[in-house]
């Protein structure tokens, strides 16, 4: 028997200390069953209130929010960083559904409550830790280690998701020392945030770039009732009981916007296949190379995909060679080569550091 982390995370998300305590104490099947029973009881009581959990949770500013800052240790204290750009009245949906102020600093992007000056710890991201950015009407920033959920244990770092309208920012909502420079690119929120993200990522020495969905490269064949003249760049699907959307991007496949969000880079995909093929729907199964060499491949299954989208998805699969095992081996080889180079570079740096230390000792 395993701990019901999905339910425990839903209840105790703001209290990482409680989650850590549960993990430490769940030493026997009896204790695991007890913790799961407690979680089930609390979850049931919360549901009886008829109010979504996200509405009940209070986002606290300061060091006790989530036990650890998303990458904040990489470059010091974000609260002491000068604010280069500040944008007010931004609707964030993950990890908390609320309006926040977003602040750009030389080393961080963070959210804070309106009228406060303290970064929210669980919503603070070092520029060097952000892996991918996906834009449509939503921006998604994935810190390192957050693209796929952990196999076991609580989620320790979450991506940031926020929504901006396709309009210009309201007057008086832009601040910071770079507000003057930002004015030239503030015809739309999209122009503003593209400029700000690219500027700060480049300044941090990151090669991450914004990846955008493109209806010319992939779009759904299912007509959108609310926007009949616009091609949807996503495909509706289910992961378990959760409904969401699959985005087939040039760099990988994104699942959103229900927790946990998932991004699977093309280079990590071993193969794709289809199951439960019915007259109206089918399932997509994505086999993914493991993070650790020697582990078995992971599988992610997305169900209830409309048959109208089969052709577009199959074209994407064939265009990227995702159905071809020989090409999968090539991707795996390139992935291992890149990882080995990274390890070799780290080992070389460590060896150089040790050598420098020995030379320094001899000079003494």
């Amino acid at each position: 028997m395993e701990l019901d982390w999905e339910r425990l995370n839903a209840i105790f998300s703001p209290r990482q200390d409680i989650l850590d305590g549960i993990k430490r104490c769940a030493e026997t099947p009896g204790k695991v069953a007890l913790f799961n029973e407690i979680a089930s009881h609390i979850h049931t009581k919360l549901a009886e209130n008829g109010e979504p959990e996200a509405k009940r949770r209070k986002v606290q500013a300061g060091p006790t929010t989530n036990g650890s800052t998303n990458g904040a240790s990489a470059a010091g204290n974000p609260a002491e960083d000068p604010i280069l750009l500040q944008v007010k009245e931004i609707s964030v949906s993950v990890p908390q559904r609320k309006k926040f102020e977003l602040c750009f600093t030389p080393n961080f992007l963070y959210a804070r409550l309106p009228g406060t000056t303290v970064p929210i710890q669980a919503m603070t991201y070092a520029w060097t830790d952000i892996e991918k950015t996906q834009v449509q009407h939503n921006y998604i920033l994935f810190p390192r280690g957050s693209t796929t959920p952990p196999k076991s244990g609580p989620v320790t770092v979450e991506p940031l998701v926020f929504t901006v309208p396709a309009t210009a920012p309201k007057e008086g909502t832009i601040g910071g020392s770079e507000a003057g420079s930002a004015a030239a690119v503030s015809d739309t929120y999209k122009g503003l945030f593209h400029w700000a993200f690219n500027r700060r990522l480049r300044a941090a020495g990151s090669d991450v770039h914004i990846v955008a969905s493109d209806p010319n490269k992939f779009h759904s064949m299912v007509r959108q009732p609310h926007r009949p003249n616009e091609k949807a760049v996503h495909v509706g699907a289910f992961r378990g009981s959760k409904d969401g959307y699959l985005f087939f991007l040039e760099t990988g496949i994104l699942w959103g916007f229900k927790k946990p969000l998932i991004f699977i880079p093309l280079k990590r995909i071993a193969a794709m296949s289809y199951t439960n093929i019915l007259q109206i729907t089918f399932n997509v199964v994505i086999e993914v190379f493991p993070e650790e060499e020697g582990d078995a491949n992971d599988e992610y299954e997305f169900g209830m995909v409309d048959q109208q989208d089969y052709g577009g998805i199959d074209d994407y699969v064939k265009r990227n060679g995702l159905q071809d095992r020989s090409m999968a081996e090539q991707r795996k080889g390139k992935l291992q080569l890149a990882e080995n180079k990274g390890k070799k570079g780290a080992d070389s740096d460590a060896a150089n550091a040790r050598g420098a230390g020995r030379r320094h000792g001899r000079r003494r």
Side-chain angles (χ1 to χ4, degrees):
M1 179 179 290
E2 295 183 353
L3 287 168
D4 187 353
W5 283 113
E6 184 174 357
R7 187 165 288 173
L8 288 166
N9 277 319
I11 297 169
F12 299 114
S13 178
R15 293 294 303 275
Q16 186 65 38
D17 55 329
I18 293 178
L19 292 170
D20 291 340
I22 291 172
K23 186 177 182 180
R24 285 194 303 271
C25 295
E27 301 168 340
T28 65
K31 289 182 179 179
V32 170
L34 176 61
F35 284 130
N36 286 345
E37 190 173 343
I38 292 171
S40 177
H41 175 73
I42 295 174
H43 193 270
T44 301
K45 289 296 182 184
L46 291 175
E48 288 174 358
N49 291 339
E51 188 179 13
E53 290 172 24
K55 295 287 185 182
R56 287 191 296 271
R57 286 193 203 130
K58 299 295 182 183
V59 179
Q60 301 293 335
T64 60
T65 302
N66 197 24
S68 63
T69 301
N70 290 336
S73 60
N77 184 358
E80 296 176 356
D81 249 16
I83 295 176
L84 304 175
L85 189 68
Q86 167 194 337
V87 187
K88 300 178 181 178
E89 298 185 16
I90 295 298
S91 297
V92 174
S93 55
V94 177
Q96 298 290 342
R97 185 177 293 276
K98 194 178 180 72
K99 278 198 173 183
F100 293 97
E101 296 177 356
L102 290 184
C103 297
F104 292 75
T105 77
N107 296 304
F108 298 96
L109 167 73
Y110 64 80
R112 67 186 187 189
L113 291 169
T116 67
T117 59
V118 182
I120 295 172
Q121 197 166 25
M123 300 172 69
T124 299
Y125 304 85
W127 291 114
T128 53
D129 285 343
I130 294 173
E131 284 191 347
K132 302 288 178 185
T133 308
Q134 154 68 22
V135 58
Q136 190 195 5
H137 291 95
N138 299 294
Y139 278 83
I140 307 174
L141 287 86
F142 285 101
R144 297 188 190 281
S146 69
T147 54
T148 55
K151 293 181 180 179
S152 61
V155 175
T156 56
V157 59
E158 292 186 290
L160 174 70
V161 181
F162 64 91
T163 305
V164 293
T167 59
K170 295 179 182 178
E171 188 175 351
T173 60
I174 309 298
S177 61
E178 292 187 350
S181 301
V185 293
S186 296
D187 292 341
T188 63
Y189 274 106
K190 178 180 176 180
L192 170 64
F193 278 107
H194 269 55
W195 172 83
F197 281 129
N198 286 327
R199 185 178 177 88
R200 296 320 323 154
L201 287 167
R202 297 297 85 79
S206 172
D207 60 356
V208 171
H209 64 282
I210 297 174
V211 178
S213 51
D214 185 348
N216 294 318
K217 295 181 179 179
F218 181 89
H219 65 269
S220 173
M221 297 303 294
V222 178
R223 183 176 176 271
Q224 299 185 94
H226 59 297
R227 289 178 185 159
N229 298 321
E230 183 179 317
K231 295 177 180 178
V233 291
H234 54 72
V235 168
F238 280 79
R239 185 165 186 259
S241 60
K242 294 182 179 180
D243 63 319
Y245 303 99
L246 286 169
F247 294 80
F248 294 87
L249 308 172
E250 60 182 277
T251 55
I253 299 173
L254 171 71
W255 164 255
F257 292 94
K258 300 290 180 67
K259 290 186 179 183
L261 276 72
I262 298 172
F263 179 76
I264 307 172
L266 291 177
K267 63 184 179 182
R268 299 211 75 93
I269 297 177
M272 285 182 64
S273 57
Y274 311 110
T275 63
N276 292 352
I277 301 173
L278 305 175
Q279 186 175 358
I280 300 176
T281 63
F282 65 99
N283 291 5
V284 176
V285 179
I286 306 174
E287 186 180 344
V288 182
F289 294 127
E291 294 284 348
E292 298 293 333
E293 191 173 350
D295 289 352
N297 288 356
D298 297 320
E299 277 194 357
Y300 296 92
E301 184 167 3
F302 303 94
M304 301 294 289
V305 180
D306 197 297
Q307 276 285 1
Q308 295 180 70
D309 286 319
Y310 173 81
I313 294 173
D314 201 49
D315 285 345
Y316 177 89
V317 168
K318 291 175 179 176
R319 186 166 66 247
N320 291 287
L322 303 180
Q323 86 291 1
D324 191 325
R325 282 286 176 181
S326 62
M327 293 191 70
E329 290 303 317
Q330 291 179 24
R331 286 194 298 275
K332 185 176 182 180
K334 289 180 180 178
L335 184 63
Q336 290 174 339
L337 182 62
E339 290 174 347
N340 290 338
K341 282 184 178 179
K343 291 177 182 177
K344 186 176 180 181
D347 293 342
S348 176
D349 290 344
N352 290 337
R354 289 195 297 271
R358 286 196 294 270
R359 289 194 297 274
H360 185 65
R362 283 198 295 271
R363 282 198 294 270
R364 284 183 175 179

